[in-house]
Amino acid sequence: MRKLSRDKDFILRIQEISQQNIADCYQCGRCTAGCPFAEFMDEPPNRIIRYIQLGYKEDVLKAHSPWFCAACLVCESRCPRGVDIPRIMEAVRTIHLRAKEQLIDIDKIDKELLKDAHPLVLMSALYKYSY
Amino acid sequence: MQVSYYPGCDLYTKAKVLNDSIKAAFNAVGIELKELANWYCCGTTFTLARDNKMSLIAPLRILSRAQKEDGYLLVPCSICYNTLKRANYIFKNDPDTLKIINEHLGENYNGGEKIIHPFEFIKEHKDEFKKGVKKSLENLKLGSYYGCYLLRPKNEVEFDDPESPTIMEEFVQLMGAQPVTFPLKVECCGSYLIVNSPEAALEASYKILKNARERGAEAIVTSCPVCHYNLDNFQSKIAGMHSDHQFIPVFYFSQIMAMAFGLPVEVWGLEYNKVNPTNLLKEHKIL
Ligand code: SF4
Ligand code: SF4
């Protein structure tokens, strides 16, 4: 069995950035059930929340899931506990970005896409995934 | 009647067709859309990090400019609408934050601006818009696709029911076409994931298009430039991934208005549609 390595500072940091109370989530799984991108995530949204509740900082920070969250807010509108999950996903991304770890490398964006891309998707992607 | 409106950057670039057709269509029913003076980018997608106030700066400047006009700002782009509305929610409900940004910018915005989407405006002025309809679209079956930004979060955008909205179907009906409702009409198209995780975005778009078709839609109607981009632009790619994909045209709602109001075909901006709608429109004797 894994030893509980409760990183309290990490929980507080996520709560500060997202202004969400992590303990509110009772793990019903509705967020994951409705998430259109859960199938692409290595850890589904409810598990990310659970890891944060437990203070599993490393597991949260190494998960790819937050980069697959499109901030579509479906989960937020369906959570029976009023947890704003996309804000929590953003908080995780924010921790990466403020540590200067980013997902997007402009040079690596598909050239064909770049030529004809809608400015809104480029702006949003750069905004969400780079510092 | 004159209404101030905020085009946002995309209505000057990729979504120019939305700008041209909405102005022409509103004009046709006697409403002049008057572009807000000195506007600039709203900052695109709203930041979800609550400790970041930067993203409120552009919206406050825009809204304080609008305040000098008539207190009523029409915003056709779903993303600009979402960003401005959510920022304004903070300005209305969090006086401390409003004060900080106002002081920082030397502005005096009071939080009172009313941001309105064309669908809401049309609903309020139903009769005028109905009178504008000159051409029959009666057999055209349009799938109303909402996407995310118009609907969520419910308490901040206050647009319609986020799970089963009907305002677009009402619009389609008003224009004389047949609204088709489908379960995935409120599901995300993949948004900006198309840049970094195209496989996830394309899969999401495929499911939406398929779902609409299965429910009988012959074309999709939307108001969001990002949804339009994802759903219309990549159908050849989607067809490469899924052999059962059937091409389906995607229109901006304003193109449908231009058709219904009998405006010249150049105003419809069909050259902006990647999936060619000509055959469909001919089949229904619209073109
Ligand atoms: S829907 Fe809300 S309460 Fe349920 S698992 Fe997700 S975050 Fe927790
Ligand atoms: S906001 Fe993110 S986590 Fe929530 S349903 Fe959408 S993609 Fe999934």
Side-chain angles (χ1 to χ4, degrees):
Chain A
M1 217 178 96
R2 169 147 59 166
K3 222 174 100 223
L4 280 181
S5 55
R6 216 158 181 241
D7 189 328
K8 266 226 129 152
D9 286 345
F10 180 66
I11 304 174
L12 291 174
R13 190 79 191 100
I14 295 276
Q15 296 201 142
E16 183 189 337
I17 301 174
S18 66
Q19 292 290 305
Q20 297 300 304
N21 186 356
I22 282 291
D24 280 348
C25 164
Y26 56 24
Q27 287 294 307
C28 67
R30 272 180 91 171
C31 48
T32 298
C35 174
F37 304 106
E39 60 177 300
F40 294 93
M41 295 178 177
D42 50 355
E43 306 285 0
N46 71 306
R47 212 185 297 165
I48 293 288
I49 312 283
R50 186 69 183 136
Y51 285 166
I52 298 170
Q53 286 177 332
L54 295 172
Y56 289 177
K57 178 178 171 180
E58 301 309 321
D59 299 77
V60 175
L61 292 184
K62 74 167 197 268
H64 302 306
S65 317
W67 305 113
F68 276 98
C69 167
C72 73
L73 301 155
V74 158
C75 53
E76 180 266 357
S77 77
R78 293 180 186 165
C79 172
R81 297 284 293 151
V83 181
D84 197 329
I85 301 103
R87 285 199 184 271
I88 293 167
M89 292 292 199
E90 182 114 326
V92 178
R93 287 194 296 264
T94 301
I95 286 175
H96 283 290
L97 297 175
R98 288 181 187 169
K100 303 222 180 303
E101 297 158 26
Q102 61 182 4
L103 185 73
I104 271 194
D105 179 346
I106 300 182
D107 293 333
K108 293 208 179 100
I109 298 177
D110 178 33
K111 291 284 171 299
E112 197 198 325
L113 182 101
L114 209 51
K115 245 191 350 224
D116 195 37
H118 197 297
L120 278 179
V121 297
L122 274 183
M123 281 287 293
S124 305
L126 291 174
Y127 182 71
K128 290 278 183 194
Y129 299 146
S130 62
Y131 51 81
Chain B
M1 182 182 181
Q2 221 181 36
V3 180
S4 307
Y5 93 109
Y6 172 81
C9 314
D10 49 317
L11 269 73
Y12 268 86
T13 52
K14 284 269 173 194
K16 205 172 166 304
V17 55
L18 173 53
N19 202 25
D20 295 346
S21 51
I22 196 169
K23 273 165 63 180
F26 271 57
N27 247 329
V29 293
I31 296 158
E32 190 201 336
L33 292 182
K34 188 173 154 262
E35 193 168 316
L36 187 69
N38 294 322
W39 61 268
Y40 50 81
C41 174
C42 66
T44 65
T45 155
F46 191 71
T47 184
L48 301 175
R50 287 258 169 113
D51 62 347
N52 178 353
K53 299 215 186 322
M54 283 278 281
S55 66
L56 299 172
I57 290 177
L60 188 124
R61 273 233 168 100
I62 293 163
L63 295 172
S64 91
R65 274 160 201 188
Q67 180 174 263
K68 291 175 192 123
E69 309 219 342
D70 53 13
Y72 202 44
L73 190 65
L74 190 91
V75 185
C77 165
S78 298
I79 298 192
C80 303
Y81 174 79
N82 185 279
T83 301
L84 292 176
K85 206 117 186 226
R86 298 186 74 179
N88 207 34
Y89 180 85
I90 296 175
F91 300 145
K92 273 186 193 151
N93 296 294
D94 178 355
D96 293 341
T97 300
L98 176 64
K99 193 163 168 261
I100 292 169
I101 316 279
N102 259 332
E103 275 171 8
H104 177 70
L105 292 173
E107 297 280 0
N108 193 18
Y109 178 58
N110 65 16
E113 197 63 19
K114 187 164 184 315
I115 297 155
I116 186 163
H117 188 273
F119 286 134
E120 298 170 303
F121 186 87
I122 294 166
K123 192 173 174 166
E124 270 178 30
H125 299 82
K126 235 201 262 145
D127 299 337
E128 281 121 291
F129 281 90
K130 197 181 171 87
K131 266 187 235 143
V133 176
K134 303 275 187 296
K135 194 182 193 111
S136 167
L137 310 181
E138 66 180 339
N139 294 317
L140 184 62
K141 297 186 196 68
L142 293 174
S144 301
Y145 177 65
Y146 292 79
C148 306
Y149 294 98
L150 287 178
L151 301 168
R152 299 183 285 263
K154 182 185 194 312
N155 60 337
E156 293 177 35
V157 296
E158 292 180 300
F159 179 80
D160 201 346
D161 183 328
E163 290 292 340
S164 45
T166 53
I167 194 167
M168 273 180 89
E169 281 88 348
E170 289 162 31
F171 162 80
V172 168
Q173 205 147 28
L174 194 71
M175 293 300 119
Q178 288 185 31
V180 173
T181 205
F182 59 103
L184 295 191
K185 69 182 182 177
V186 298
E187 191 109 335
C188 178
C189 67
S191 189
Y192 48 78
L193 291 183
I194 191 70
V195 178
N196 216 67
S197 313
E199 70 290 355
L202 295 174
E203 193 60 25
S205 295
Y206 163 70
K207 283 185 188 146
I208 292 162
L209 296 168
K210 182 167 186 237
N211 188 237
R213 249 217 193 278
E214 282 171 355
R215 295 292 169 125
E218 297 169 308
I220 307 275
V221 58
T222 182
S223 89
C224 177
V226 166
C227 300
H228 187 277
Y229 175 69
N230 279 342
L231 295 180
D232 184 39
N233 251 54
F234 298 104
Q235 289 197 34
S236 312
K237 276 215 165 102
I238 290 173
M241 287 161 61
H242 293 279
S243 56
D244 67 338
H245 176 69
Q246 291 180 42
F247 286 80
I248 176 166
V250 184
F251 294 110
Y252 282 110
F253 69 100
S254 51
Q255 292 181 287
I256 301 299
M257 285 172 90
M259 290 174 203
F261 291 175
L263 301 180
V265 71
E266 301 80 67
V267 179
W268 304 5
L270 299 182
E271 68 277 14
Y272 286 90
N273 290 70
K274 279 267 159 67
V275 176
N276 192 339
T278 321
N279 285 345
L280 174 69
L281 297 176
K282 281 192 175 145
E283 195 185 302
H284 290 305
K285 305 202 168 40
I286 297 166
L287 196 69

